[in-house]
Amino acid sequence: MDLFSVIAILTTVCALFAYINFRFVKLPTTIGLMLIALLFSLVLLIIGRFSPSFLVNIEGWVGDIDFSEVLLEVLLSFLLFAGALHTNMDLLREQKWSILSFSTIGVLISTFLLGGMFFYVLNALGYPVPFIHCLLLGALISPTDPIAVLGILKQAKVPKSLEIVITGESLFNDGVGVVVFLTILQVATLGVDQVTPGEVAFLFGEEVGGGLLLGLGLGYITYYLMRSIDHYQTEVLLSLALVMGGYALATALHFSGPLAVVVAGLFIGNRARADAMSDETVEYLDKFWELIDELLNALLFVLIGLEIVIIPFLDDYWLPGLIGIFLALLGRFIAVLVPVLMLRRLVNFMPRTPLIMTWGGLRGGISIALALSLPETMNKEIILSITYCIVIFSILVQGLTLGPLVKRIKARYDL
């Protein structure tokens, strides 16, 4: 099937599912679309039991869509920029130590803690998965997904101080998490003996530091160009070029594209919004990126629901998947609790912050994309199955219950 036909079918499916959700289901958009797509996929699988040829055609169509490539190389840059564009930099500065701790120390703690727990649990269940492969699972499931988090936080009514921490963490720990994953993947590919600690540190520093500096530089250049004109069409086009060109350049330089886009988005959304844009430009820029955010979010969560069609081995690993949900929550809680305890004298956290951040730490398409990118030789089937179970539970169960949980805590502590 040619590219246009695939895009046409996906767009049509997204539009129909969005209509059904808005007209009948009435769930938050991201949750509703994924739930409808998931139920639709289950219906297709049931039909496939009676008509194997029909299922083969469906699997072929969904399989033609490289989910990992579509998300990591196309959708991610736009969605991260749209999220960063509307994030208040002043509020981020107020919570900088919390965000920095959660997005770095928290990710590393979670990666190694989850890797260790999965290693012992999987081997106890009779799945001899090497420790380095369990670390890969820990790395891809540790960062919260900014796309899922930002979509749910709009309805959860989390107190502003905690909302900005969760938002900032999700924007930055995504880039850090991808770098940690790629570093461990390189170690797993080449062998522990072939990679020195210095090389690991250099790779990590190059990806993270390079991404941050590149995003800052490109953001400033775009800001300068916007400041020299007053033409909203051109300025919107400049923002689009910043995202696409910046992400491509970061990839070519082996820098972190997600971090570069986030930093550039924060720069444009704060500095350029205040000094370089007219009110008309701000209005059109915001509307453009809000529309992009809604459209691509719809596409992403429909794809997540449809992916179950091409994960036939999910039946074989349902038990590790269920246990993985519990382990992911436990690892997340500990990874959040440690920074909270470290910073409790510097930061005035609201009551039950570890609980809210654990339940609000949603996993999404990025985790699935990273799992799909693994080679078959690295226990891809079991890692992908566990990841998919965690993501589905995270978005459907945690996403739907986060609002009531926050409301209950606010009422209990009179916040």
Side-chain angles (χ1 to χ4, degrees), residues 179-247:
V179 172
V180 172
F181 173 82
L182 293 175
T183 302
I184 297 175
L185 181 61
Q186 184 176 10
V187 174
T189 303
L190 300 178
V192 178
D193 298 335
Q194 301 299 317
V195 181
T196 66
E199 291 174 329
V200 171
F202 176 79
L203 175 63
F204 192 85
E206 179 186 32
E207 288 271 351
V208 174
L212 294 175
L213 291 174
L214 180 64
L216 186 61
L218 293 177
Y220 183 81
I221 292 172
T222 306
Y223 157 78
Y224 177 81
L225 295 175
M226 287 181 169
R227 192 176 181 181
S228 65
I229 61 174
D230 183 14
H231 187 248
Y232 75 84
Q233 294 97 329
T234 302
E235 291 175 80
V236 169
L237 187 58
L238 284 172
S239 70
L240 195 59
L242 170 62
V243 175
M244 300 178 71
Y247 200 89

Side-chain angles (χ1 to χ4, degrees), residues 379-396:
N379 296 102
K380 178 178 179 177
E381 289 188 359
I382 188 169
I383 289 176
L384 179 56
S385 297
I386 293 172
T387 302
Y388 198 81
C389 289
I390 293 171
V391 168
I392 295 299
F393 178 88
S394 173
I395 295 174
L396 293 184

Side-chain angles (χ1 to χ4, degrees), residues 45-63:
L45 290 174
I46 293 172
I47 295 174
R49 298 281 186 181
F50 303 97
S51 177
S53 60
F54 170 80
L55 185 59
V56 168
N57 290 331
I58 294 297
E59 288 176 348
W61 177 73
V62 177

Side-chain angles (χ1 to χ4, degrees), residues 135-143 181 366-368 370-371 374 383 387:
L135 277 183
L136 283 171
L137 175 56
L140 65 87
I141 213 65
S142 288
F181 173 82
I366 294 172
S367 296
I368 295 176
L370 292 177
L374 289 171
I383 289 176
T387 302

